[in-house]
Amino acid sequence: SPSCGDDKKRRVCYYYDPGISTVDYGEGHVMVPHRVTMAHNLVAAYGMLGDMRRLRTAPATAAELADFHDEGYLALLQDLTPDGCGGDDGGHLREEGGGRGVDNPVFDRLWDYCLRYSGGSLAAARTLGSGTADIAINWSGGMHHACRGGARGFCYVNDIVLAIRELLAHFRRVLYVDIDVHHGDGVQAAFEASNRVMTVSFHQHGGGFFPGSGAVADVGKKGPGRYCALNVPVSVGIGDEEYHRLFEPIMARVMEVFQPEAVVLQCGADSLAGDRLGELNLTTRGHAQCVSFIRSFNLPLLLLGGGGYTINHVASCWCNETAVAIGKEIPNDIPKHGFDVFYKNQEYKLHYKLETKHLHRNRNTANSIDGIRMAAMENLSKLKL
Ligand code: V1P
Ligand code: CA
Ligand code: ZN
């Protein structure tokens, strides 16, 4: 039975499109695609590119996005320009529900950005489907909030839904696991009616934290997909030990009851301590333990990025998780490379340490953790395939 990962090698295929490196959500926005370039340069500096297969990434096509998204929405997205032409909402896309928000600005080359990050996730899914790799990685993907007909929470196109739909052509059942600090609402909604996709999200919940959905009682709509959505809400300040008192037993049970043939793990790095939006206290080791635990089940595995707003932490996290995927030990000292100045605040260590004053006070208790785990296990016991 799988425990804490293993040293066995996997065939890893890594997708990185340099076209995303200059994408800019605009001044004051917290989403910085360039952090994926930082992660990539760190992966390169650690000498890991030679340990993975790298296939050429082609941007997705509009037709590929239309496999999930509404054609009218795609036409709008394609036509939008930052100066307000093309029917946009004065520089921002309307939030689902009608509000005007700053979350989804219209910026230069937005459409191209969507095609590139989605192209990476689709290519990764196809490689897994072909059986020529065990693990495929696209750190620029993981945009879990995008809806069929609209942008939401920094996400415009839902590359995860597209990738899962591609995997469904090759695998009977696909498991989606989301360790981003936010609820993976867009992916859950897309597959709520299906019993071939199970979605599991761990997220900060309560106190008005975005998006507000994903209570433990949320198990999906009535019908064949009921109980194929599992939500594990936690409170501010959870650390590695308590997080894994939920993650490992719950995921082990999910594997038993759902028996997936492939797994997609969204590795949003905003669940790390010191994030600009998230308020949890995970370390890079605790976060990576989720990757090695899922990896230990030896199923075709798609690793995606997602949120993550303290950019040096995000790059460190995804670089380390690339090493976990390969099954390689890498030193804690950040190698000298073009971007090493970004890591000054963390004393040039891959596994950064924060002073207590920069952590959030833990609002979880042993009892609250046990209660959530039991509620989640209870939901899982109702899953009949
Ligand atoms: O809370 C909101 C508001 C509520 N609506 C009226 C908009 N939005 C959040 C969105 C967070 C999106 C997370 C994306 C991901 O899960 C996947 C990539 O990580 C929000 C927040 C916040 N503190 O929750 N937007 C912003 N902050 C924001 C900050 C600066 C500039 C623009 C947006
Ligand atoms: Ca999540
Ligand atoms: Zn997030």
Coordinates of all heavy atoms in Angstrom, one line a residue, residues 178 180 182 201-203, ligand 2:
D178 N -7.3 18.9 -6.1 CA -7.1 20.3 -6.2 C -6.6 20.8 -4.9 O -7.3 20.9 -3.9 CB -8.4 21.0 -6.6 CG -8.3 22.5 -6.9 OD1 -7.7 23.2 -6.1 OD2 -8.9 23.0 -7.9
D180 N -4.9 23.8 -4.6 CA -4.9 25.3 -4.6 C -5.7 25.7 -3.3 O -6.7 25.0 -2.9 CB -5.7 25.7 -5.9 CG -5.7 27.2 -6.1 OD1 -6.3 28.0 -5.4 OD2 -5.0 27.6 -7.1
H182 N -7.9 27.8 -3.1 CA -9.3 28.1 -3.4 C -10.1 26.8 -3.9 O -9.5 25.9 -4.4 CB -9.4 29.1 -4.5 CG -8.7 30.4 -4.2 ND1 -7.5 30.8 -4.5 CD2 -9.2 31.5 -3.4 CE1 -7.2 32.0 -4.0 NE2 -8.2 32.4 -3.3
S201 N -11.5 18.8 -3.8 CA -10.8 20.0 -3.6 C -10.6 20.2 -2.1 O -11.5 20.0 -1.3 CB -11.6 21.2 -4.1 OG -10.9 22.4 -3.8
F202 N -9.3 20.5 -1.7 CA -9.0 21.0 -0.4 C -8.9 22.5 -0.5 O -8.2 23.0 -1.4 CB -7.6 20.4 0.0 CG -7.7 18.9 0.2 CD1 -7.7 18.0 -0.9 CD2 -7.7 18.3 1.5 CE1 -7.8 16.7 -0.8 CE2 -7.8 16.9 1.6 CZ -7.8 16.1 0.5
H203 N -9.5 23.2 0.4 CA -9.4 24.7 0.3 C -9.7 25.4 1.6 O -10.4 24.9 2.5 CB -10.4 25.2 -0.8 CG -11.7 24.5 -0.7 ND1 -12.0 23.4 -1.5 CD2 -12.8 24.7 0.1 CE1 -13.3 23.0 -1.2 NE2 -13.7 23.8 -0.2
Ligands
CA2 CA -8.5 23.6 -3.8

